[in-house]
Amino acid sequence: MIEYTDLSQPIYKRLKEMIRNGELKQGEKIIQEKIAEELGVSRTPLMKALLALENEYLVESIPRRGMYLRVLDYKEIIDIYVCREALEGMAARLLANRKDASSIKQLKACFTPFLNKERIDMNAYAEADEKFHSLLIKLTGNAPLDNIYFFSNIHDKVVGHGLVRTPDETLQEHFKIIDAIEGGNPDKAEKLVREHINKSKELLINQYKNQKSE
């Protein structure tokens, strides 16, 4: 049962968890009555949460049929990464130019809990990864950029129900990006972000090619 003043926010978060862990699957119809009963909430905040997910390209409303988990084809997924590469690279450049201590502290806080750990909780890391990439945009304070960036959470919700690459690969990449931002190096910060996202994109492209050749 969910208890909260503004119910739409925890419902939104819970639905994203259900997408991440496979409780809700691509193409599946969202039975609002069932979900409302499971969470112990009314239809109004549930619908508000679903509309937020629709804005993030995770849910789609089909006339006379209802709401479904969106099914992305290969091209759409790659196109999303192309958009993310450009937008997050721009955000890193803006943050590096500003060198705001509070913003840098928030970015570091995403991943410091995973340093020097022999075993990393993949769900916790996936949440930290999502928060980091979202913060890159939000901390710029650039409202138009934030509004454009509606693909921010799609990669780790739809592709593989989690991370495209492992923390072994990405943890130090994240800290190198933060270091470039903290050092006030906009060219390096943008380059590192673009490389970071491009590596995941290329991995997905190779996976798709391998699947086609089988």
Side-chain angles (χ1 to χ4, degrees):
M1 299 283 288
I2 288 179
E3 295 182 4
Y4 205 81
T5 305
D6 178 9
L7 282 176
S8 67
Q9 274 299 104
I11 295 170
Y12 163 83
K13 291 179 180 178
R14 175 59 184 137
L15 289 173
K16 288 174 84 171
E17 285 179 15
M18 294 170 76
I19 295 170
R20 181 188 293 120
N21 63 29
E23 291 178 65
L24 293 173
K25 298 178 174 61
Q26 290 188 64
E28 180 178 341
K29 183 174 183 179
I30 297 170
I31 311 299
Q32 294 184 43
E33 295 85 355
K34 180 182 176 183
I35 293 177
E37 184 178 349
E38 287 178 358
L39 300 183
V41 299
S42 67
R43 293 280 297 278
T44 300
L46 175 60
M47 177 55 69
K48 186 177 178 181
L50 288 171
L51 290 174
L53 291 173
E54 186 174 23
N55 286 336
E56 289 186 355
Y57 223 52
L58 291 170
V59 169
E60 63 179 331
S61 180
I62 300 177
R64 296 182 296 279
R65 291 182 58 192
M67 300 195 86
Y68 289 77
L69 263 293
R70 186 171 168 78
V71 179
L72 298 180
D73 62 26
Y74 164 76
K75 184 179 183 303
E76 286 178 308
I77 292 169
I78 299 305
D79 285 348
I80 286 165
Y81 275 82
V82 171
C83 291
R84 289 187 55 223
E85 184 180 331
L87 294 174
E88 292 185 38
M90 182 193 304
R93 172 174 287 277
L94 292 172
L95 291 175
N97 279 322
R98 203 170 63 192
K99 287 199 301 183
D100 176 66
S102 174
S103 296
I104 293 162
K105 184 178 179 181
Q106 290 181 66
L107 292 172
K108 286 182 177 179
C110 294
F111 295 110
T112 47
F114 305 102
L115 289 172
N116 304 317
K117 281 201 171 183
E118 291 184 10
R119 194 169 190 174
I120 291 178
D121 183 301
M122 297 299 282
N123 287 330
Y125 190 85
E127 290 180 6
D129 182 80
E130 175 188 338
K131 183 177 181 180
F132 174 82
H133 287 280
S134 179
L135 277 173
L136 276 180
I137 301 296
K138 293 188 179 300
L139 290 173
T140 65
N142 187 310
L145 178 61
D146 196 11
N147 288 333
I148 292 168
Y149 192 70
F150 62 96
F151 292 132
S152 59
N153 298 314
I154 209 165
H155 61 296
D156 67 339
K157 301 302 182 302
V158 179
V159 183
H161 298 301
L163 302 163
V164 176
R165 295 188 293 136
T166 66
D168 288 342
E169 278 190 77
T170 62
L171 183 58
Q172 289 308 314
E173 289 179 13
H174 288 126
F175 277 107
K176 286 179 181 178
I177 291 166
I178 297 169
D179 287 345
I181 292 171
E182 186 173 22
N185 191 329
D187 289 340
K188 186 175 181 181
E190 179 174 1
K191 178 175 179 287
L192 288 172
V193 168
R194 283 178 169 273
E195 288 176 350
H196 173 71
I197 296 172
N198 189 61
K199 285 178 183 177
S200 295
K201 182 185 72 178
E202 291 301 317
L203 179 61
L204 292 172
I205 290 172
N206 289 332
Q207 288 175 352
Y208 177 75
K209 288 179 179 176
N210 290 337
Q211 289 172 3
K212 283 195 71 177
S213 63
E214 289 176 358

